Amino acid sequence: MVKIAFGSIGDSFSVGSLKSYLAEFIATLLFVFAGVGSAIAFSKLTGGAPLDAAGLIAVAVAHALALFVGVAMAANVSGGHLNPAVTLGLAIGGNITLLTGFFYWVAQCLGSIVACFLLKFVTGGEAIPTHGVASGMNGFEGVVMEIIITFALVYTVYATAADPKKGSLGTIAPIAIGFIVGANILAAGPFSGGSMNPARSFGPAVAAGDFSQNWIYWVGPLIGGALAGLVYGDIFIGSYAPLPAAEDYA
């Protein structure tokens, strides 16, 4: 069964929780700085040319490497979510309370916003690229694409990090998580942008002042993350053992 718990103010404002929020803020900031920065760098080097195959590969690799490092650096403190969709998916399985998860969202979004404004400052006012669906696609198609790729991401998080039976597989969790994000960007980048992360899309939208399609990157990833939490947390983990208390990814 779904193991959603609301939580308490006391737990959500404990010293450990406050450290977790700070870890999420810092790790998300560094991840978004590298990810968005790679897109800005490509635009700078090509004189503003549209993203081509080489640029897509470069951006995908940058995101994969940055997320791998970001998850690894925050894992022992906050679990290394760096993504509201991951947090929601883990809340569905009882790995984190809804109240604490909400403050994770705040920290993640603030980290992304600060990263984008820092990029705007250090690059001399370069435009901050925002996510949007490709020409010829509509919002619904973009949402479905984001649902699928975010499901893959959060399912990977469960399989490699949140599953009590992960064993030694947990040591490669950050690598696996980074790899699935890089692969999904290669597949979905030319279509939906390959966000999988509401915070990753929200920061650039704030810095650029363009929220025209930002809803897609909340609706799609949150549905995909929740579905992955339901499937893996309820069908697999729920069938053989109770979820552990706050340990990994909690």
Side-chain angles (χ1 to χ4, degrees):
M1 292 179 62
V2 175
K3 301 177 178 67
I4 298 175
F6 182 77
S8 68
I9 293 293
D11 287 340
S12 295
F13 283 94
S14 66
V15 173
S17 292
L18 294 176
K19 288 180 179 179
S20 293
Y21 307 149
L22 180 58
E24 286 293 306
F25 171 81
I26 293 171
T28 306
L29 187 159
L30 297 176
F31 162 62
V32 174
F33 190 91
V36 177
S38 67
I40 295 174
F42 173 81
S43 179
K44 178 76 171 179
L45 292 172
T46 59
L51 194 68
D52 58 15
L56 177 64
I57 292 172
V59 169
V61 169
H63 279 79
L65 293 175
L67 186 61
F68 158 47
V69 174
V71 170
M73 70 170 63
N76 291 335
V77 181
S78 66
H81 298 193
L82 283 69
N83 183 340
V86 170
T87 300
L88 177 61
L90 291 169
I92 294 292
N95 289 271
I96 187 171
T97 66
L98 290 177
L99 187 58
T100 298
F102 170 76
F103 291 114
Y104 268 51
W105 282 23
V106 172
Q108 292 156 359
C109 288
L110 285 176
S112 180
I113 292 168
V114 171
C116 291
F117 277 109
L118 284 173
L119 279 167
K120 203 166 187 177
F121 174 72
V122 299
T123 61
E126 290 285 337
I128 303 297
T130 59
H131 279 130
V133 298
S135 176
M137 286 185 68
N138 59 41
F140 177 72
E141 291 167 338
V143 166
V144 173
M145 177 73 83
E146 290 294 321
I147 288 173
I148 296 168
I149 60 177
T150 308
F151 179 92
L153 166 60
V154 179
Y155 195 91
T156 300
V157 170
Y158 262 99
T160 62
D163 191 325
K165 291 187 176 181
K166 64 183 181 295
S168 60
L169 186 63
T171 60
I172 68 163
I175 299 175
I177 294 166
F179 276 12
I180 191 61
V181 165
N184 282 341
I185 290 174
L186 289 174
F191 302 101
S192 70
S195 172
M196 298 163 274
N197 186 335
R200 164 63 181 82
S201 297
F202 185 68
V206 171
D210 180 6
F211 295 91
S212 58
Q213 297 190 54
N214 192 244
W215 66 273
I216 295 171
Y217 305 101
W218 283 92
V219 175
L222 291 181
I223 292 175
L227 287 173
L230 283 170
V231 172
Y232 204 104
D234 200 29
I235 296 176
F236 296 114
I237 293 178
S239 68
Y240 54 69
L243 286 171
E247 189 174 318
D248 288 343
Y249 274 72

